[in-house]
Amino acid sequence: MDAVARIVEVAAECPGTLAVAVRAVGEPGGLVLGVHEDVELPLASVGKLLLLAEVAMSLEGGILDAEETVALEDDDYCGGSGLLLGLSQRQWTVGDLALLTAAVSDNTATNALLRRVGLDRVNAAAAALGLTRTRLLDRIREPRTDTDPPTFALGTASELSGLAALVAGGQGWQVQLREWMLANTDHGLVPALVRHDQEAAWIANKTGTDEGIRTDVGIMGGLAYAVLASGPPGSDQSLVTAVRQAGLTLSHLPQPSS
């Protein structure tokens, strides 16, 4: 069974929508593989990549300074993933907050960075990179109420695989964002069943987890990928299985020639 057929099979077994898009790093052209790649889905913390991209570009352009201190405000603090809720320090540099956002998906760090940069600026930068349907709707909230925007971020696998392919480039902001993604500690989705040793820099990724959402975007060797799964409440374990099976299938794709 070829890779597309296997992904279609996995998607059919998924209790919701599984969207997959893969591109070859460093090679012109379109998708190597795409299934439901243009369906707009909730992203959970994968949306933080848009914020990190804007921060990385602003650092390269001199708009932000990695050593600038940001004082945490009470409204920044948010439950869910991260470390800052358990740490006493209230002032962190922009670089520290970006690393915490990438490495442990820290929700408080994300909110502080997003307050410093601004939602509109993040979405404008994403659009300039070609992500016209992938955007942030809000800051991180735990819990999210009926009066809040319905989700943190929305996007498509096609656009996010394009962003991952960009991150593999050699410009300063691309290298910075890739370094942050290499620090990610969550390899439990796409790379869970395949090689993912950090020292080999085989995987640089960002994951997203929420009720009914499992997402993973990154670089696996010479391939840029986005795997997004969304389903009804109670489907989380099945979504994890679908994303992991998709990752196993992607690991068998031929790597681009260097």
Side-chain angles (χ1 to χ4, degrees):
M1 182 182 296
D2 67 20
V4 174
R6 175 56 183 151
I7 295 294
V8 169
E9 181 181 77
V10 172
E13 296 170 352
C14 179
T17 301
L18 178 71
V20 179
V22 183
R23 300 176 188 270
V25 168
E27 293 187 7
L31 296 175
V32 172
L33 185 154
V35 174
H36 300 150
E37 69 273 17
D38 292 320
V39 176
E40 196 171 284
L41 294 171
L43 302 178
S45 289
V46 153
K48 295 172 184 177
L49 281 176
L50 277 62
L51 172 61
L52 291 170
E54 163 56 24
V55 171
M57 287 187 286
S58 292
L59 291 176
E60 183 180 29
I63 300 170
L64 283 178
D65 183 343
E67 297 304 315
E68 175 190 340
T69 299
V70 178
L72 300 181
E73 297 183 355
D74 289 345
D75 198 42
D76 295 330
Y77 284 90
C78 183
S81 58
L83 297 172
L84 290 184
L85 275 180
L87 299 177
S88 60
Q89 185 171 320
R90 298 280 302 216
Q91 296 193 28
W92 299 83
T93 67
V94 166
D96 289 339
L97 293 173
L99 181 59
L100 284 162
T101 297
V104 294
S105 203
D106 196 294
N107 286 338
T108 301
T110 299
N111 283 342
L113 269 184
L114 191 55
R115 174 172 54 81
R116 172 63 182 85
V117 174
L119 188 70
D120 290 342
R121 198 164 112 193
V122 170
N123 285 332
L129 292 174
L131 285 77
T132 59
R133 299 177 60 206
T134 302
R135 70 272 186 201
L136 301 188
L137 303 183
D138 194 17
R139 65 182 181 89
I140 303 290
R141 299 180 190 269
E142 292 287 347
R144 187 166 292 278
T145 70
D146 292 340
T147 61
D148 299 323
T151 192
F152 169 57
L154 292 170
T156 71
S158 180
E159 289 188 349
L160 286 162
S161 68
L163 176 60
L166 277 177
V167 173
Q171 294 185 32
W173 75 268
Q174 297 165 316
V175 173
Q176 177 63 84
L177 182 49
R178 189 164 66 248
E179 288 179 355
W180 286 333
M181 292 168 68
L182 282 166
N184 178 32
T185 58
D186 182 6
H187 290 166
L189 290 175
V190 163
L193 304 180
V194 301
R195 167 188 174 190
H196 55 279
D197 50 305
Q198 290 177 292
E199 291 183 359
W202 176 250
I203 287 285
N205 73 322
K206 180 74 190 76
T207 56
T209 297
D210 206 344
E211 184 178 10
I213 305 170
R214 293 296 187 276
T215 54
D216 194 331
V217 173
I219 304 161
M220 179 190 295
L223 298 173
Y225 69 84
V227 180
L228 315 178
S230 178
S235 64
D236 298 276
Q237 189 54 54
S238 295
L239 298 180
V240 169
T241 298
V243 173
R244 288 177 174 176
Q245 288 299 319
L248 183 60
T249 301
L250 300 188
S251 72
H252 294 144
L253 291 172
Q255 289 285 323
S257 57
S258 57

